[in-house]
Amino acid sequence: MDNWLDMLRANYNWSLVDRIDTYQQKFIQGEYCDIKTKSIACPLTCCAVKFGASGESWRDNGKKRSAGEIQITALPELKKARPWYKDIDSTVLQQNIKRLDKAFENFFDGRGFPKFKNRSTMRSFTFTTGVKVDGNKIYLPKLRWMRFYNSRPIPTAFKIKSVTVRKKADGYYVSIRIEDTNVPVFPVKSNSEINTVVGLDMGLGKLVYCSDGSVIDIPRFATNKKTKRLQRILGRRVSRKNKHSHSRRKAQQKLSLFQHRIATKREAHQWQVAKKIIKKADAIALEDLNISGMMKRCKPKYDEKTGRFLPNGRVLNVLCLGQLQMLPGMR
């Protein structure tokens, strides 16, 4: 599985370079005149373009393929040129290209441009077919049967849609997505059936203020004195080791495992708090507040004529944050 992650990372980065080169050649560099033949030539040598070096640009029905579909059709040529990619399941390679498609969709929606993957950001792969579960054993194509901790058994009527294998600091985890079209929609209570309501307000000094007067404290798993000291010691040990050395990798692994334990405690605490809240009442009312936006510093406003500062709403933000910290609950 470690080898798979290395090869998938290389394939992802190559596909991203291929699309960047396609854009540069097609929309920026454009056509040019060949000196010898004195004819217009177009230097389109990438995979994700028509008449490229590899990949089929058109379907049998005459419709043009997208960039991701062209790169998926080029996977057999990749396996011929790089035989070691035959050890990876074909659906895993296809999902790797679709992950790049999703990154470009996010970019077109206004998010950041897709970035190249490294060992810390490429830590998972997905199967879509061929997965079987039998008790505490799971079968993954090309990886065969292996034991795993089955935290929740899969009902017999459900169908496995996809399986994601994710590498974390303390080992590999398996996420199984299941589906059953026969399951009815979860029933929603009518207003006449709701007898009790609890209101929740997020605070800064406390985690949640409840309308019944109860308060849930912030656990501070990562910001208490002992944890901060241990994290500072482990980080110092990493910085003292030589870069790209085996000892530095071992020290980084210890730091990552320490941070993973903190994240596990925080996630478990969130589930415990959610279970405690849903037992309070039949319905829950939440306040729609942008806490992160309220904590940001407002941009200064200037008077164009005099150059003096104008009110920018910072005082209102400070007053709202102060009220969130002082209010014992919502009534």
Side-chain angles (χ1 to χ4, degrees):
M1 290 188 286
D2 289 338
N3 294 335
W4 278 30
L5 289 176
D6 292 337
M7 289 188 286
L8 291 172
R9 183 178 70 251
N11 176 251
Y12 183 94
N13 292 338
W14 182 88
S15 301
L16 179 56
V17 170
D18 188 57
R19 298 197 189 188
I20 294 175
D21 291 344
T22 301
Y23 180 82
Q24 293 286 336
Q25 294 178 3
K26 188 174 182 181
F27 298 102
I28 297 180
Q29 182 178 348
E31 298 179 347
Y32 68 96
C33 180
D34 191 0
I35 298 177
K36 292 183 179 180
T37 59
K38 296 182 180 181
S39 61
I40 297 177
C42 193
L44 301 181
T45 58
C46 299
C47 170
V49 295
K50 181 182 177 182
F51 306 125
S54 60
E56 296 293 337
S57 301
W58 301 94
R59 296 193 185 97
D60 295 336
N61 56 5
K63 295 184 179 180
K64 193 178 186 302
R65 288 190 172 98
S66 62
E69 292 174 344
I70 294 174
Q71 289 180 337
I72 289 177
T73 56
L75 290 177
E77 299 183 13
L78 172 66
K79 293 181 180 181
K80 291 180 182 179
R82 303 288 189 269
W84 48 89
Y85 275 93
K86 296 180 181 179
D87 297 335
I88 303 179
D89 185 62
S90 59
T91 60
V92 174
L93 288 171
Q94 294 172 8
Q95 292 298 319
N96 195 41
I97 302 297
K98 291 181 180 180
R99 176 187 294 186
L100 182 59
D101 287 341
K102 185 63 178 178
F104 271 99
E105 289 180 8
N106 296 334
F107 168 67
F108 294 137
D109 291 339
R111 303 180 188 178
F113 189 80
K115 297 181 180 180
F116 292 97
K117 299 289 186 180
N118 53 29
R119 289 186 176 180
S120 61
T121 56
M122 189 71 174
R123 303 177 68 87
S124 64
F125 52 88
T126 304
F127 296 89
T128 55
T129 58
V131 179
K132 304 175 185 178
V133 177
D134 184 11
N136 62 343
K137 293 182 179 180
I138 185 170
Y139 176 82
L140 301 176
K142 296 294 182 73
L143 295 176
R144 301 182 181 180
W145 288 98
M146 61 181 66
R147 293 181 180 178
F148 81 116
Y149 177 72
N150 193 354
S151 59
R152 281 176 287 180
I154 301 175
T156 55
F158 284 77
K159 178 182 179 182
I160 298 177
K161 298 294 293 183
S162 65
V163 174
T164 301
V165 180
R166 184 172 289 104
K167 182 179 181 181
K168 294 187 178 182
D170 59 342
Y172 281 91
Y173 287 77
V174 177
S175 300
I176 302 176
R177 185 167 64 93
I178 57 179
E179 181 187 19
D180 188 4
T181 56
N182 298 324
V183 176
V185 180
F186 187 79
V188 179
K189 289 185 177 181
S190 60
N191 295 333
S192 59
E193 297 176 349
I194 298 176
N195 299 322
T196 57
V197 180
V198 61
L200 304 180
D201 188 10
M202 178 181 290
L204 296 178
K206 302 293 183 179
L207 183 62
V208 177
Y209 294 95
C210 300
S211 60
D212 57 359
S214 61
V215 178
I216 299 176
D217 295 329
I218 299 177
R220 302 188 184 279
F221 293 115
T223 56
N224 60 74
K225 186 176 181 180
K226 181 178 179 181
T227 304
K228 291 172 67 176
R229 178 178 176 273
L230 291 175
Q231 189 166 358
R232 188 166 55 251
I233 292 174
L234 293 175
R236 194 184 301 125
R237 290 176 182 176
V238 174
S239 62
R240 288 176 178 176
K241 302 292 189 299
N242 295 328
K243 291 185 177 181
H244 309 292
S245 63
H246 183 64
S247 58
R248 186 185 180 94
R249 194 178 300 112
K250 290 176 63 178
Q252 181 63 46
Q253 178 68 18
K254 291 182 180 180
L255 178 60
S256 301
L257 184 60
F258 179 78
Q259 295 173 346
H260 173 70
R261 289 172 180 170
I262 295 175
T264 304
K265 291 180 181 179
R266 187 183 295 112
E267 183 180 2
H269 182 265
Q270 291 175 357
W271 284 105
Q272 293 172 2
V273 171
K275 184 178 180 180
K276 185 186 299 184
I277 291 174
I278 62 176
K279 289 184 177 181
K280 288 179 176 291
D282 297 334
I284 300 174
L286 302 176
E287 190 175 8
D288 188 9
L289 284 179
N290 185 8
I291 301 297
S292 60
M294 295 173 62
M295 294 178 65
K296 289 182 180 179
R297 188 177 183 85
C298 300
K299 293 183 179 180
K301 294 183 179 180
Y302 303 95
D303 191 349
E304 297 180 356
K305 296 182 179 180
T306 61
R308 294 185 176 182
F309 290 100
L310 298 175
N312 59 350
R314 177 61 182 171
V315 178
L316 296 177
N317 273 5
V318 173
L319 291 176
C320 291
L321 291 176
Q323 291 176 2
L324 284 176
Q325 292 178 348
M326 291 185 293
L327 283 176
M330 294 174 55
R331 295 291 179 181

